[in-house]
Amino acid sequence: MIGRLNHVAIAVPDLVAASATYHETLGAEVSMPVDLPEHGVTTVFVNLPNTKIELLAVLGEQSPIASFLQRNPGGGVHHVCYEVEDLAAARARMQAQGARVLGDGEPRIGAHGKPVLFLHPKDFCGTLVELEQV
Ligand code: CO
């Protein structure tokens, strides 16, 4: 059911330093920082030939990554995002399999303007999973 890996999101305490690591040390193409106030993050997009890395930093008081960074002060992999063709069908399958969809279970518009759902990390090998309808 899941398709391409859309992105890997890495939460970082210092976006400038993380961006430099990807640009200078790893030689990747990185975007300028983009504030996404409705998502509580500032993002730098790292464009790779086959996928993207999203470097996420806290923006504002209600950031969804604040508690993660408290537990992981040096940063770390926050979630992986897989593409699906039909989010409603994906949700039905997840729930039928006993997997937990986070929040109220309704898709939200994600950082790329497309509907997304998040799945409980305890049901997916300890990793927060985002499903994005493409
Ligand atoms: Co994401």
Side-chain angles (χ1 to χ4, degrees), residues 7 9 54 79 81 130:
H7 61 271
E54 294 182 5
H79 64 269
C81 177
E130 179 180 20

Side-chain angles (χ1 to χ4, degrees), residues 29-31 34 36 43-47 52-54 111-112:
E29 176 197 327
V30 303
S31 77
V34 179
L36 300 172
T43 295
V44 165
F45 297 96
V46 181
N47 291 308
K52 295 185 288 279
I53 304 296
E54 294 182 5
H112 311 116

Side-chain angles (χ1 to χ4, degrees), residues 17-62:
S19 189
T21 296
Y22 269 82
H23 184 60
E24 309 300 333
T25 310
L26 291 172
E29 176 197 327
V30 303
S31 77
M32 296 299 288
V34 179
D35 286 342
L36 300 172
E38 66 278 20
H39 293 283
V41 293
T42 302
T43 295
V44 165
F45 297 96
V46 181
N47 291 308
L48 303 180
N50 64 336
T51 191
K52 295 185 288 279
I53 304 296
E54 294 182 5
L55 304 174
L56 305 178
V58 166
L59 177 65
E61 312 261 304
Q62 301 294 324

